[in-house]
């Protein structure tokens, strides 16, 4: 859909004859007869946009578009005029927290266990994969969720490896839980990783055991690396095909930009290469894992282009709430004390995965070297520690924290007194609405009703002046942004339950939800100067969808289909 060379040449010659300056001479495209939501607070609605090259040159009425392209535009009816026949146009959607390689891996090798409804079904899928895999090679899977299994005995019990080991004895198997904060190994995997009942739990992690001391096969948070270090890189698939597969999935879902959490410097080099070769269409804002970040940014400048940036670091203060790794201010309601090991009987408040002092040192380094810091924080203690660490780093360096746009990733459970601190400090809350609707079934079991008032507190944060960058955390949740939009405005599951939504006072309005997935997500990556809204002068990143999500019945939103996706004015996806 870009002007062909011949047409370009024709117009260049024509313009030369007419004395029109070349820069303004190229014809553009006019997309008209559309319901346009711009996410631009100055002009939220429009019916047409004009695009020349990669840039939006007009947003408004058809007449505005004609005026902007005056003198260069072939007549209405030519192929430069695209009649959208009343369809809805949005800015390209942005996912502020995803894992592209993880999404790609599910399409090129790792067994997708999302949606399994029992442990038996998980085993069945893994055994089927093992049957077509040479003996001794690893079988990897991800996405199981014991909270969704129909287990008549104990809904919440984590699985034990025995049935899996019996069904798949000849392949090491490693299956990440849906949140990625716990994983299940079979016997062969534990053998391959030299794990025995004598293996101790590392700091910030737990090797789960039965009462008799034998291993259940489940490894939580930092303990996952005990097994992961034994997995050969090739078992996960080829990085370029994973990125290509993930990109395709994102473009067809209406995403034009993704903030990719935890990208190793070697993968960042691959991204840069793909971007220079024109293979990377998606705008990727990649964060370096904190384990490498300080050394990397000591030796390298933060890298920023419009297509790919490597100018941020991703750290973890705690684990996830599902596997009780979130770091809480007070003990869990459903596991108030350690039940085994030397700490048996002591209060259990979750895991501190990385020390607050480390987060502070990283934040200081980021402020000095000019890169952003993103820290995963789920529990109320974890969130407070991160805000404190950022604040101390800003004080000791004398730098402006708000200007550095540091973020808390997830910000799931907040103590009431910490909610206003996001706006006060200028820290961005990077939040994933579908986490709320997946977790709402058991959040109150974990933390009780009183603390749950600070869970996924979108409206409270927005009302306090905080900025929310919206995302999905794919492949933990689906990368489909319309599921996130639906969750944000309803706080209901796919069946429309609970009736008015879980803690409906914390819902977002549609305008807030759209903004979190466009302009404010772009701000979370310093990209709002050229994308994130349909505004004259910005890049032409937009999508056309089959229903008006700003006005339709909320129940119809999850079924929204993306018809076309454009980045830099180039059509990068067209539905068949
Ligand atoms: Zn994540």
């Amino acid at each position: 859909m870009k002007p062909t060379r011949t047409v370009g040449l024709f117009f260049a010659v024509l313009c030369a004859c007419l004395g029109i300056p070349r820069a303004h001479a190229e014809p553009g495209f006019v997309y008209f007869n559309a319901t346009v939501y711009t996410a631009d607070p100055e002009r939220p609605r429009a019916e047409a946009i004009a695009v020349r090259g990669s840039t939006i040159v007009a947003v408004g009425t058809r007449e505005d578009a004609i005026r902007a392209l005056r003198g260069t535009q072939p007549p209405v009816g030519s192929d430069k005029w695209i009649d959208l026949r009343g369809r809805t146009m949005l800015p390209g959607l942005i996912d502020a927290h995803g894992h592209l390689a993880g999404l790609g891996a599910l399409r090129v090798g790792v067994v997708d266990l999302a949606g399994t409804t029992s442990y038996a079904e998980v085993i069945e899928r893994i055994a089927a994969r093992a049957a077509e895999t040479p003996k001794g090679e690893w079988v990897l899977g991800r996405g199981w969720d014991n909270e969704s299994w129909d287990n008549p005995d104990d809904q919440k019990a984590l699985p034990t490896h025995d049935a899996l080991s019996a069904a798949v004895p000849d392949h090491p198997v490693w299956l990440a839980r849906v949140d990625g904060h716990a994983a299940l190994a079979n016997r062969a995997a534990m053998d391959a990783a030299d794990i025995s009942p004598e293996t101790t739990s590392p700091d910030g992690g737990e090797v789960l055991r039965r009462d008799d001391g034998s291993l259940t096969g489940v490894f939580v948070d930092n303990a996952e690396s005990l097994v992961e270090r034994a997995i050969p890189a090739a078992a996960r698939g080829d990085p370029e095909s994973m990125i290509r597969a993930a990109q395709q999935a994102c473009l067809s879902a209406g995403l034009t930009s993704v903030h990719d959490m935890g990208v190793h410097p070697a993968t960042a080099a691959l991204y840069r290469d793909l971007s220079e070769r024109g293979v990377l269409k998606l705008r990727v804002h990649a964060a370096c894992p904190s384990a490498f970040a300080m050394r990397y940014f000591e030796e390298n400048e933060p890298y920023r282009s419009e297509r790919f940036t490597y100018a941020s670091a991703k750290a973890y203060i705690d684990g996830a709430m599902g596997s009780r790794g979130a770091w809480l201010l007070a003990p869990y309601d459903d596991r108030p004390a350690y039940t085994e090991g030397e700490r048996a009987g002591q209060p259990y408040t979750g895991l501190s995965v990385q020390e607050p002092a480390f987060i502070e040192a990283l934040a200081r380094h980021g402020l000095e070297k000019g890169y952003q810091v993103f820290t995963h924080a789920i529990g109320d203690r974890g969130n407070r520690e991160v805000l404190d660490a950022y604040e101390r780093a800003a004080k000791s360096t004398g730098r402006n924290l708000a200007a550095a746009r540091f973020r808390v990733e997830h910000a799931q459970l907040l103590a009431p007194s910490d909610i206003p601190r996001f706006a006060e400090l200028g820290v961005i809350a990077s939040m994933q609405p579908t986490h709320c609707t997946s977790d709402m079934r058991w959040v109150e079991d974990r933390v009780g009703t009183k603390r749950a008032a600070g869970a996924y507190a979108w409206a409270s944060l927005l009302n306090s002046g905080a900025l929310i960058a919206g995302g999905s955390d794919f492949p933990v949740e689906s990368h489909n942004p319309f599921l996130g939009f639906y969750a944000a405005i309803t706080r209901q599951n796919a069946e429309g339950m609970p009736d008015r939504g879980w803690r409906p006072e914390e819902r977002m309005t549609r305008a807030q939800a759209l903004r979190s997935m466009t302009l404010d997500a772009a701000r979370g990556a310093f990209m709002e100067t050229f994308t994130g809204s349909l505004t004259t002068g910005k890049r032409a990143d937009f999508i056309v969808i089959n229903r008006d999500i700003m006005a339709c019945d909320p129940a119809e939103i999850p079924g929204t289909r993306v018809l076309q996706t454009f980045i830099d004015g180039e059509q990068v996806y067209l539905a068949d």
Side-chain angles (χ1 to χ4, degrees), residues 79-112:
D79 65 355
K80 297 287 182 273
W81 287 83
I82 316 291
D83 182 352
L84 292 176
R85 289 173 297 171
R87 288 196 176 116
T88 297
M89 178 189 289
L90 302 176
L93 300 176
I94 301 174
D95 192 317
H97 185 126
H99 303 270
L100 285 166
L103 177 63
L106 289 176
R107 281 147 204 265
V108 298
V110 174
V111 182
D112 190 354

Short mmCIF file of all heavy atoms in Angstrom, two decimals, residues 79-112:
data_model
loop_
_atom_site.label_atom_id
_atom_site.label_comp_id
_atom_site.label_asym_id
_atom_site.label_seq_id
_atom_site.Cartn_x
_atom_site.Cartn_y
_atom_site.Cartn_z
N ASP A 79 -7.18 5.02 -6.10
CA ASP A 79 -6.79 4.08 -5.04
C ASP A 79 -6.12 4.78 -3.87
O ASP A 79 -5.69 4.13 -2.92
CB ASP A 79 -5.91 2.97 -5.60
CG ASP A 79 -4.58 3.49 -6.13
OD1 ASP A 79 -4.38 4.73 -6.15
OD2 ASP A 79 -3.75 2.66 -6.54
N LYS A 80 -5.99 6.08 -3.90
CA LYS A 80 -5.44 6.81 -2.76
C LYS A 80 -6.54 7.18 -1.76
O LYS A 80 -6.27 7.77 -0.73
CB LYS A 80 -4.73 8.09 -3.24
CG LYS A 80 -3.54 7.82 -4.14
CD LYS A 80 -2.38 7.27 -3.33
CE LYS A 80 -1.16 7.03 -4.19
NZ LYS A 80 -1.18 5.67 -4.79
N TRP A 81 -7.75 6.89 -2.13
CA TRP A 81 -8.88 7.21 -1.25
C TRP A 81 -9.46 5.90 -0.72
O TRP A 81 -9.98 5.09 -1.48
CB TRP A 81 -9.94 7.99 -2.03
CG TRP A 81 -9.49 9.39 -2.29
CD1 TRP A 81 -8.68 9.80 -3.30
CD2 TRP A 81 -9.79 10.52 -1.50
NE1 TRP A 81 -8.44 11.16 -3.19
CE2 TRP A 81 -9.12 11.63 -2.09
CE3 TRP A 81 -10.55 10.75 -0.35
CZ2 TRP A 81 -9.18 12.91 -1.57
CZ3 TRP A 81 -10.62 12.03 0.16
CH2 TRP A 81 -9.95 13.10 -0.44
N ILE A 82 -9.35 5.72 0.59
CA ILE A 82 -9.81 4.46 1.16
C ILE A 82 -11.08 4.72 1.97
O ILE A 82 -11.04 5.38 3.02
CB ILE A 82 -8.74 3.85 2.10
CG1 ILE A 82 -7.32 3.93 1.49
CG2 ILE A 82 -9.12 2.43 2.49
CD1 ILE A 82 -7.06 3.05 0.31
N ASP A 83 -12.19 4.20 1.46
CA ASP A 83 -13.48 4.38 2.14
C ASP A 83 -13.63 3.28 3.19
O ASP A 83 -13.71 2.10 2.84
CB ASP A 83 -14.61 4.30 1.10
CG ASP A 83 -15.98 4.54 1.72
OD1 ASP A 83 -16.07 4.61 2.98
OD2 ASP A 83 -16.96 4.64 0.96
N LEU A 84 -13.63 3.65 4.46
CA LEU A 84 -13.70 2.63 5.52
C LEU A 84 -15.14 2.27 5.87
O LEU A 84 -15.38 1.49 6.80
CB LEU A 84 -12.91 3.08 6.74
CG LEU A 84 -11.40 3.12 6.50
CD1 LEU A 84 -10.67 3.67 7.73
CD2 LEU A 84 -10.83 1.76 6.14
N ARG A 85 -16.08 2.82 5.17
CA ARG A 85 -17.50 2.44 5.27
C ARG A 85 -17.99 2.35 6.71
O ARG A 85 -18.59 1.36 7.13
CB ARG A 85 -17.75 1.13 4.52
CG ARG A 85 -17.66 1.34 2.99
CD ARG A 85 -17.73 0.05 2.26
NE ARG A 85 -16.61 -0.79 2.62
CZ ARG A 85 -16.47 -2.07 2.28
NH1 ARG A 85 -17.39 -2.68 1.61
NH2 ARG A 85 -15.40 -2.73 2.64
N GLY A 86 -17.65 3.37 7.47
CA GLY A 86 -18.18 3.48 8.83
C GLY A 86 -17.44 2.65 9.87
O GLY A 86 -17.81 2.66 11.04
N ARG A 87 -16.40 1.98 9.47
CA ARG A 87 -15.68 1.14 10.44
C ARG A 87 -14.90 2.00 11.44
O ARG A 87 -14.67 3.18 11.23
CB ARG A 87 -14.74 0.20 9.71
CG ARG A 87 -15.52 -0.89 9.00
CD ARG A 87 -14.59 -2.01 8.61
NE ARG A 87 -15.37 -3.08 8.01
CZ ARG A 87 -15.25 -3.48 6.76
NH1 ARG A 87 -14.36 -2.90 5.96
NH2 ARG A 87 -15.99 -4.45 6.29
N THR A 88 -14.47 1.33 12.49
CA THR A 88 -13.79 2.04 13.58
C THR A 88 -12.28 1.99 13.38
O THR A 88 -11.72 0.93 13.06
CB THR A 88 -14.17 1.39 14.92
OG1 THR A 88 -15.59 1.56 15.10
CG2 THR A 88 -13.44 2.03 16.09
N MET A 89 -11.66 3.15 13.58
CA MET A 89 -10.20 3.23 13.52
C MET A 89 -9.68 3.66 14.89
O MET A 89 -10.24 4.54 15.53
CB MET A 89 -9.78 4.26 12.47
CG MET A 89 -8.26 4.44 12.39
SD MET A 89 -7.76 5.84 11.35
CE MET A 89 -8.16 5.22 9.73
N LEU A 90 -8.60 3.00 15.31
CA LEU A 90 -7.95 3.35 16.58
C LEU A 90 -6.47 3.56 16.30
O LEU A 90 -5.94 3.04 15.32
CB LEU A 90 -8.07 2.20 17.59
CG LEU A 90 -9.45 1.69 17.99
CD1 LEU A 90 -9.29 0.49 18.93
CD2 LEU A 90 -10.25 2.79 18.68
N PRO A 91 -5.78 4.25 17.21
CA PRO A 91 -4.32 4.25 17.10
C PRO A 91 -3.84 2.81 17.25
O PRO A 91 -4.52 1.99 17.88
CB PRO A 91 -3.87 5.07 18.31
CG PRO A 91 -5.08 5.78 18.82
CD PRO A 91 -6.26 4.96 18.41
N GLY A 92 -2.69 2.48 16.68
CA GLY A 92 -2.11 1.16 16.90
C GLY A 92 -2.02 0.92 18.40
O GLY A 92 -1.64 1.82 19.15
N LEU A 93 -2.41 -0.27 18.84
CA LEU A 93 -2.42 -0.53 20.29
C LEU A 93 -1.03 -0.94 20.75
O LEU A 93 -0.24 -1.52 19.99
CB LEU A 93 -3.46 -1.61 20.61
CG LEU A 93 -4.89 -1.20 20.20
CD1 LEU A 93 -5.87 -2.34 20.47
CD2 LEU A 93 -5.35 0.06 20.93
N ILE A 94 -0.77 -0.63 22.00
CA ILE A 94 0.56 -0.86 22.57
C ILE A 94 0.40 -1.78 23.78
O ILE A 94 -0.46 -1.55 24.62
CB ILE A 94 1.20 0.48 23.01
CG1 ILE A 94 1.30 1.42 21.80
CG2 ILE A 94 2.57 0.23 23.64
CD1 ILE A 94 1.78 2.82 22.14
N ASP A 95 1.22 -2.81 23.83
CA ASP A 95 1.24 -3.67 25.01
C ASP A 95 2.49 -3.31 25.80
O ASP A 95 3.62 -3.56 25.36
CB ASP A 95 1.26 -5.15 24.61
CG ASP A 95 0.98 -6.05 25.80
OD1 ASP A 95 1.55 -5.78 26.89
OD2 ASP A 95 0.19 -7.01 25.67
N ALA A 96 2.29 -2.70 26.98
CA ALA A 96 3.43 -2.18 27.75
C ALA A 96 4.16 -3.25 28.55
O ALA A 96 5.13 -2.94 29.24
CB ALA A 96 2.96 -1.06 28.67
N HIS A 97 3.68 -4.48 28.49
CA HIS A 97 4.40 -5.54 29.21
C HIS A 97 4.09 -6.89 28.57
O HIS A 97 3.03 -7.47 28.79
CB HIS A 97 3.99 -5.55 30.69
CG HIS A 97 4.76 -6.53 31.53
ND1 HIS A 97 5.43 -6.17 32.68
CD2 HIS A 97 4.96 -7.86 31.40
CE1 HIS A 97 6.02 -7.24 33.20
NE2 HIS A 97 5.74 -8.28 32.45
N GLY A 98 5.03 -7.37 27.77
CA GLY A 98 4.86 -8.69 27.17
C GLY A 98 6.21 -9.37 27.05
O GLY A 98 7.24 -8.81 27.41
N HIS A 99 6.16 -10.59 26.59
CA HIS A 99 7.39 -11.38 26.41
C HIS A 99 7.31 -12.00 25.02
O HIS A 99 6.67 -13.04 24.83
CB HIS A 99 7.47 -12.47 27.48
CG HIS A 99 7.43 -11.93 28.89
ND1 HIS A 99 8.56 -11.56 29.57
CD2 HIS A 99 6.40 -11.65 29.71
CE1 HIS A 99 8.23 -11.10 30.78
NE2 HIS A 99 6.92 -11.14 30.88
N LEU A 100 7.92 -11.32 24.05
CA LEU A 100 7.77 -11.76 22.66
C LEU A 100 8.34 -13.15 22.43
O LEU A 100 7.72 -13.98 21.78
CB LEU A 100 8.42 -10.74 21.72
CG LEU A 100 7.62 -9.44 21.53
CD1 LEU A 100 8.49 -8.39 20.87
CD2 LEU A 100 6.37 -9.70 20.70
N ALA A 101 9.53 -13.42 22.98
CA ALA A 101 10.12 -14.74 22.75
C ALA A 101 9.23 -15.82 23.36
O ALA A 101 9.06 -16.90 22.79
CB ALA A 101 11.53 -14.81 23.31
N GLY A 102 8.66 -15.53 24.52
CA GLY A 102 7.78 -16.50 25.18
C GLY A 102 6.55 -16.79 24.33
O GLY A 102 6.12 -17.94 24.20
N LEU A 103 5.98 -15.74 23.73
CA LEU A 103 4.81 -15.92 22.87
C LEU A 103 5.21 -16.69 21.61
O LEU A 103 4.53 -17.62 21.18
CB LEU A 103 4.25 -14.55 22.48
CG LEU A 103 3.06 -14.53 21.52
CD1 LEU A 103 1.85 -15.22 22.13
CD2 LEU A 103 2.71 -13.10 21.13
N GLY A 104 6.37 -16.33 21.05
CA GLY A 104 6.84 -17.00 19.84
C GLY A 104 7.13 -18.47 20.10
O GLY A 104 6.83 -19.32 19.26
N ALA A 105 7.71 -18.75 21.27
CA ALA A 105 8.09 -20.13 21.59
C ALA A 105 6.86 -21.04 21.57
O ALA A 105 6.93 -22.20 21.16
CB ALA A 105 8.78 -20.19 22.94
N LEU A 106 5.72 -20.50 22.00
CA LEU A 106 4.49 -21.31 22.02
C LEU A 106 4.03 -21.64 20.61
O LEU A 106 3.21 -22.52 20.40
CB LEU A 106 3.37 -20.57 22.75
CG LEU A 106 3.55 -20.45 24.26
CD1 LEU A 106 2.43 -19.62 24.85
CD2 LEU A 106 3.56 -21.83 24.91
N ARG A 107 4.54 -20.89 19.64
CA ARG A 107 4.17 -21.16 18.25
C ARG A 107 5.21 -21.98 17.51
O ARG A 107 4.95 -22.50 16.46
CB ARG A 107 3.94 -19.83 17.52
CG ARG A 107 2.58 -19.30 17.87
CD ARG A 107 2.50 -17.80 17.91
NE ARG A 107 1.39 -17.44 18.78
CZ ARG A 107 0.17 -17.18 18.34
NH1 ARG A 107 -0.10 -17.17 17.07
NH2 ARG A 107 -0.79 -16.91 19.19
N VAL A 108 6.41 -22.07 18.07
CA VAL A 108 7.44 -22.83 17.35
C VAL A 108 8.07 -23.97 18.16
O VAL A 108 9.07 -24.50 17.78
CB VAL A 108 8.57 -21.92 16.79
CG1 VAL A 108 8.04 -20.93 15.79
CG2 VAL A 108 9.31 -21.20 17.91
N GLY A 109 7.53 -24.38 19.28
CA GLY A 109 8.17 -25.50 19.96
C GLY A 109 7.63 -25.84 21.35
O GLY A 109 7.34 -26.99 21.64
N VAL A 110 7.49 -24.83 22.20
CA VAL A 110 7.07 -25.11 23.57
C VAL A 110 5.57 -25.48 23.57
O VAL A 110 4.77 -24.82 22.90
CB VAL A 110 7.34 -23.86 24.44
CG1 VAL A 110 6.79 -24.05 25.84
CG2 VAL A 110 8.85 -23.58 24.49
N VAL A 111 5.22 -26.50 24.31
CA VAL A 111 3.83 -26.96 24.32
C VAL A 111 2.96 -25.96 25.09
O VAL A 111 3.26 -25.61 26.24
CB VAL A 111 3.70 -28.35 24.96
CG1 VAL A 111 2.25 -28.84 24.92
CG2 VAL A 111 4.62 -29.35 24.27
N ASP A 112 1.90 -25.51 24.46
CA ASP A 112 1.01 -24.54 25.07
C ASP A 112 0.00 -25.27 25.96
O ASP A 112 -0.82 -26.04 25.48
CB ASP A 112 0.28 -23.77 23.96
CG ASP A 112 -0.50 -22.58 24.50
OD1 ASP A 112 -0.55 -22.41 25.74
OD2 ASP A 112 -1.04 -21.83 23.67
#
